Amino acid sequence: MAGQYASEVKLFKKWSFEDVECSDLCLLDFLNVSSNTAVYLPHTAGRYQKKRFRKAQCPIVERLATCLMFHGRNAGKKLLAVRIIKHAFEIIHLLTDQNPIQVLVQAIVNAGPREDSTRVGAAGIVRRQAVDVSPFRRVNQALYLIAQGARAASFRNIKTIAECVADEIINASKGSSNSYAIKKKDEIERVAKANR
């Protein structure tokens, strides 16, 4: 009897979490896409800021939604951000014929910088020092860059924000240099290499 009610949890009742794989092992703990943490909507109203590193438990699609809610006029409009992602995922599926969650995971793996430079200074002399980036920061940076690129692309443009989000995620997942996130990542890594 219980079996007939148990159904697979799919994002927006469409996209399955079952077959999503992460090609980068070190990011696996911070990309929350396993089927036991699947959600119907990327809006869990969890208190992920109360403790350090708790946001790693936040579903990755929800984290993308919160990244879109920046620049004063968009602050707090999570339902709008969720709707944008819903449309963007439809577009991604139409263009790639793949599971949009898988495409997003691949984009995050590709867009996170692996090396960065930090400021090391003593007595007024500041120099840059190349450092490795932790897996958690790679995920955070990738999400930030993807959202920033989509926002910049849609500003004063006839294209909708959903189309721009979809383009950004698809290009980042391919590693294409048309993606803002990939360009930024390459720039960050190039600067870091110069400061080794």
Side-chain angles (χ1 to χ4, degrees):
M1 185 70 185
Q4 75 188 58
Y5 296 114
S7 62
E8 186 192 342
V9 177
K10 295 184 176 181
L11 184 73
F12 300 122
K13 294 196 175 178
K14 263 193 167 182
W15 317 117
S16 168
F17 287 87
E18 290 292 329
D19 48 354
V20 177
E21 291 167 2
C22 178
S23 57
D24 198 331
L25 277 178
C26 70
L27 299 184
L28 208 52
D29 296 338
F30 304 105
L31 288 171
N32 204 2
V33 286
S34 56
S35 51
N36 60 346
T37 58
V39 287
Y40 285 112
L41 272 182
H43 194 315
T44 58
R47 294 155 62 201
Y48 297 110
Q49 293 299 313
K50 281 291 171 196
K51 216 171 196 166
R52 191 180 180 199
F53 299 126
R54 190 175 285 171
K55 62 182 178 183
Q57 263 85 62
C58 183
I60 200 71
V61 185
E62 183 173 354
R63 293 200 58 196
L64 178 65
T66 51
C67 284
L68 290 173
M69 300 194 310
F70 279 99
H71 274 325
R73 60 183 185 171
N74 301 323
K77 298 180 186 174
K78 194 163 186 177
L79 294 176
L80 179 67
V82 168
R83 202 171 72 225
I84 289 166
I85 286 176
K86 187 176 183 179
H87 293 324
F89 274 18
E90 296 281 357
I91 296 167
I92 290 170
H93 180 65
L94 286 173
L95 292 177
T96 63
D97 272 338
Q98 287 174 289
N99 184 347
I101 305 173
Q102 179 64 62
V103 178
L104 175 64
V105 167
Q106 196 52 49
I108 290 168
V109 169
N110 290 347
R114 289 159 298 198
E115 192 180 22
D116 203 348
S117 47
T118 184
R119 294 172 55 147
V120 176
I125 304 154
V126 175
R127 65 186 207 83
R128 311 280 294 207
Q129 174 65 44
V131 290
D132 294 334
V133 178
S134 75
F136 195 30
R137 184 166 164 79
R138 274 181 65 189
V139 173
N140 297 347
Q141 282 278 84
L143 284 166
Y144 169 74
L145 291 173
I146 287 169
Q148 203 180 20
R151 195 179 300 118
S154 70
F155 189 62
R156 293 206 175 141
N157 192 343
I158 200 163
K159 278 174 94 170
T160 64
I161 180 75
E163 288 169 29
C164 293
V165 170
D167 284 348
E168 183 65 38
I169 290 172
I170 290 168
N171 287 334
S173 70
K174 289 178 185 164
S176 155
S177 58
N178 292 343
S179 159
Y180 174 91
I182 298 288
K183 268 191 285 204
K184 275 285 185 193
K185 172 207 163 187
D186 290 342
E187 185 188 327
I188 288 166
E189 289 183 349
R190 195 171 59 245
V191 170
K193 192 173 180 183
N195 291 318
R196 274 181 190 164

